[in-house]
């Protein structure tokens, strides 16, 4: 079940003075635009509900666990130590790249 909106009616109701001054020709079927709203999720993504729930879980874990750990790591280690650790971890990947 959809909701149809005739844009020609909305536009003429929104600006009656401009519509009266211009006096356009009556709309034909080709000039009418109909918009339909979906009341249910699209069939294109059957897992939309699962995706929404998993997104909520991931965001909750990020807020409750990951963000505090990252902020604690940043507060506990000075910048030179963080840079050295990052460089060391990147160096461990070099043999694979070479």
């Amino acid at each position: 079940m959809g909701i149809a909106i005739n844009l020609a009616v909305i536009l003429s109701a929104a600006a009656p003075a401009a519509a009266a001054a211009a006096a356009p020709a009556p709309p034909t079927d080709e000039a009418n635009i109909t918009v339909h709203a979906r009341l249910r999720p699209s069939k294109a993504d059957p897992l939309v509900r699962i995706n929404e729930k998993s997104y909520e879980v991931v965001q909750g874990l990020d807020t409750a666990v990951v963000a505090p750990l990252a902020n604690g790591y940043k507060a506990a280690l000075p910048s030179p130590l963080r840079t050295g650790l990052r460089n060391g971890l990147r160096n461990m990947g070099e043999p694979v790249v070479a």
Side-chain angles (χ1 to χ4, degrees):
M1 212 177 246
I3 300 170
I5 301 172
N6 188 333
L7 293 179
V9 172
I10 291 173
L11 292 175
S12 65
T28 62
D29 285 341
E30 296 167 356
N32 291 333
I33 298 173
T34 304
V35 178
H36 296 279
R38 293 185 191 158
L39 301 178
R40 288 183 224 131
S42 170
K43 300 266 186 207
D45 186 5
L47 301 175
V48 69
R49 301 232 190 267
I50 294 171
N51 293 339
E52 289 170 352
K53 290 297 178 189
S54 66
Y55 177 79
E56 290 174 15
V57 169
V58 168
Q59 292 302 310
L61 285 173
D62 186 48
T63 302
V65 177
V66 177
L69 284 175
N71 291 331
Y73 167 79
K74 188 174 180 182
L77 291 177
S79 179
L81 286 177
R82 289 194 316 265
T83 302
L85 181 60
R86 180 177 57 241
N87 290 341
L89 291 172
R90 284 185 183 166
N91 288 340
M92 293 170 81
E94 282 300 314
V96 174
V97 174

